[in-house]
Amino acid sequence: MKIICIGRNYTDHISELQNEKPEDPVIFLKPDTSILLKKQPFFIPDFSNDVHYEVEVLVKIKKVGKHIQEKFAHKYYEEVGLGIDFTARDLQQKLKDKGLPWEKAKAFDGAAVIGEKWLPKDAVGDINMLNFSLEKNGETVQKSNTRLMLWKIDELIAYISQFFTLKIGDVIFTGTPAGVGKVTPEDRLTGFLEDKQIFSIQIK
């Protein structure tokens, strides 16, 4: 399986990082080795002093597709979830300054949290009106709704499939809203989708 991530999909997050609003979705990939193992803590890597959490709504692909039309995109997934795209912000900035790819800053081991609970999309109502949030040590640090995405989930599936064949088990990280921030040892991050706890992880 592959992990396909979308950058700059919420205007407020674009503003907080002082990035330019893209004309098309920004896509990058994470390998399966970046998935944080279940019930394991996240260990801050030695190569960064500024690792940030970024909570994101996830979509799990259920069948193979290529060049998918937006009107048919809803047929390619049945579940939504929640996760974290951990980012070594200091390393990412160095790479961006040199015009280099971001993978070292976003695709390292453990950098992808995929919540253990997946919710059937039929049970959550309008997929474009999902509330989600992240708590850090019991305090809400990110809170948003999928209606604020620049590109909605079905649009993303159609766009991504122009470049990559989507396969069963692939996971799409749909972008993060404002409120990203640094993690420190002993932090506890807890994610909620439609008021249901999807994950809770310890930082080491």
Side-chain angles (χ1 to χ4, degrees):
M1 58 88 75
K2 56 186 174 290
I3 301 169
I4 304 164
C5 303
I6 303 299
R8 304 180 189 177
N9 200 25
Y10 289 83
T11 301
D12 55 0
H13 177 59
I14 293 172
S15 298
E16 75 175 344
L17 294 188
Q18 299 180 333
N19 288 322
E20 292 183 7
K21 183 177 178 180
E23 295 182 4
D24 298 302
V26 175
I27 299 175
F28 60 95
L29 303 178
K30 291 178 183 266
D32 58 6
T33 50
S34 70
I35 298 173
L36 185 67
L37 298 178
K38 291 182 179 179
K39 303 188 186 304
Q40 294 298 308
F42 171 78
F43 288 91
I44 298 172
D46 293 338
F47 54 77
S48 177
N49 294 312
D50 193 23
V51 173
H52 284 204
Y53 55 78
E54 297 186 3
V55 73
E56 310 199 10
V57 172
L58 312 182
V59 176
K60 185 192 295 182
I61 299 300
K62 73 163 189 172
K63 66 178 185 177
V64 176
K66 175 74 172 173
H67 294 298
I68 301 165
Q69 295 182 48
E70 183 181 334
K71 63 182 179 181
F72 298 128
H74 67 279
K75 297 182 178 181
Y76 287 80
Y77 63 101
E78 291 181 341
E79 297 176 302
V80 292
L82 198 71
I84 295 177
D85 166 21
F86 278 118
T87 304
R89 192 72 70 201
D90 45 359
L91 179 55
Q92 184 191 33
Q93 191 59 54
K94 291 178 183 177
L95 294 167
K96 287 169 64 176
D97 289 345
K98 295 179 180 179
L100 297 173
W102 304 347
E103 275 73 10
K104 287 193 291 185
K106 281 184 167 284
F108 55 88
D109 290 356
V113 173
I114 296 177
E116 294 184 29
K117 294 181 182 178
W118 290 86
L119 305 182
K121 69 176 182 181
D122 293 340
V124 298
D126 187 348
I127 208 75
N128 295 317
M129 286 291 291
L130 298 179
N131 293 304
F132 64 101
S133 62
L134 182 73
E135 291 184 358
K136 176 183 174 183
N137 304 326
E139 177 183 352
T140 299
V141 288
Q142 289 189 275
K143 186 174 184 178
S144 194
N145 186 288
T146 53
R147 67 182 172 79
L148 299 174
M149 288 180 173
L150 294 177
W151 292 279
K152 303 299 190 287
I153 289 172
D154 289 355
E155 291 178 271
L156 291 174
I157 288 173
Y159 183 79
I160 291 166
S161 71
Q162 295 179 43
F163 306 94
F164 307 105
T165 297
L166 293 174
K167 301 181 75 173
I168 296 170
D170 287 351
V171 174
I172 300 174
F173 277 60
T174 60
T176 195
V180 302
K182 182 177 180 178
V183 294
T184 56
E186 305 311 319
D187 282 345
R188 166 72 62 176
L189 299 177
T190 308
F192 298 88
L193 180 60
E194 287 294 296
D195 296 324
K196 294 178 176 62
Q197 182 177 311
I198 305 299
F199 63 79
S200 184
I201 62 168
Q202 189 80 34
I203 307 299
K204 295 290 186 179

